Amino acid sequence: GIAVCRQNPSRTGLVDASVPVPLFAIIQGVLATGRWNAKGRCRVRVDLAVLADYAAMTADQKLLIVGVFDTVWLGSFPATYPSIYLALRVIVGPDDQGDHQLDLRLADPKGDQLVALRADFSVKPPDAGDEAGALQLVLQFGNVEFKEPGLHAVDILIDDRFEETVPLRLRERPS
C-alpha cells in the first residue's frame, strides 16, 4: 500500500549511537519505516513501535500483537522480566533499496544501557505503482534484569539515525 511520510523535527536519543551492539534476538521480519530524503521523497522511518507480551507475523504477513503495555509492575528490585516483545512497522520509499541497520537500546532511568540489539535488513523495490512499502519486525528481549523502578526507554535507530523512543515504566507492586 501507499504510505504517507510525516516530517518530524530531529531528535536526540538517550544513548551513544557509536557503541557497538551485538545481535540479541530477531524473531521474524517482513518489510517497514521513513523520513524525507534529499530528493523530498519518503525515507526509512518508524511508523509503529510498541512493547507487548507477545508479537508475531501471521502466514499472510499480518503483524499480530497481544498485550500492548508501557508499564510493568514488579514485586521488588532488582527483578528479571522474562520476555518483552517489540513490534515495529517501518515505512520505506523507492530510494531506500539496499541494506540498512536497525539498532535497539534499552536504557535505565539514568541512561545506562541494559540491552542492545543490532539487526541488518534489506529493502527490495516497491511493487509497481507504489510510492512506499512497509517492513514489519518482531523482536524479543528475554530475561532482562532491571535494577530499579522508574522510566526506562527503548531507543530505536536506523542507519545510525535516531528514530523513536518507546517508554517503559517499571513500578514496584505495593505489598
Side-chain angles (χ1 to χ4, degrees):
I2 306 273
V4 177
C5 287
R6 298 185 303 266
Q7 198 164 10
N8 293 328
S10 64
R11 294 165 49 186
T12 305
L14 296 176
V15 291
D16 183 0
S18 65
V19 175
V21 184
L23 179 62
F24 187 69
I26 299 180
I27 306 299
Q28 299 171 351
V30 186
L31 175 68
T33 153
R35 290 193 200 251
W36 300 99
N37 65 18
K39 297 178 185 176
R41 292 179 141 183
C42 189
R43 191 169 113 190
V44 176
R45 73 172 166 80
V46 172
D47 183 52
L48 171 74
V50 295
L51 300 174
D53 291 325
Y54 178 76
M57 297 297 299
T58 65
D60 56 348
Q61 305 307 313
K62 292 179 183 174
L63 186 56
L64 173 69
I65 306 169
V66 178
V68 174
F69 61 85
D70 67 0
T71 303
V72 173
W73 292 86
L74 298 169
S76 63
F77 289 86
T80 300
Y81 200 74
S83 184
I84 299 171
Y85 286 83
L86 176 66
L88 289 173
R89 178 178 162 87
V90 180
I91 304 302
V92 295
D95 296 335
D96 295 322
Q97 293 178 47
D99 296 330
H100 297 275
Q101 192 169 64
L102 171 71
D103 289 307
L104 301 176
R105 303 198 180 124
L106 175 59
D108 68 14
K110 297 174 191 157
D112 294 332
Q113 186 171 289
L114 300 176
V115 176
L117 178 149
R118 173 168 283 165
D120 295 322
F121 66 96
S122 293
V123 175
K124 297 184 180 2
D127 294 335
D130 281 348
E131 282 294 313
L135 171 66
Q136 300 182 132
L137 300 169
V138 174
L139 304 110
Q140 181 186 24
F141 297 99
N143 295 316
V144 178
E145 184 177 337
F146 295 103
K147 295 180 180 157
E148 61 186 313
L151 182 59
H152 292 63
V154 178
D155 286 336
I156 303 167
L157 296 91
I158 296 177
D159 298 332
D160 295 322
R161 184 183 70 245
F162 175 77
E163 283 291 322
E164 192 73 45
T165 294
V166 180
L168 173 59
R169 289 168 191 80
L170 298 179
R171 300 190 188 259
E172 192 163 346
R173 187 177 304 121
S175 328

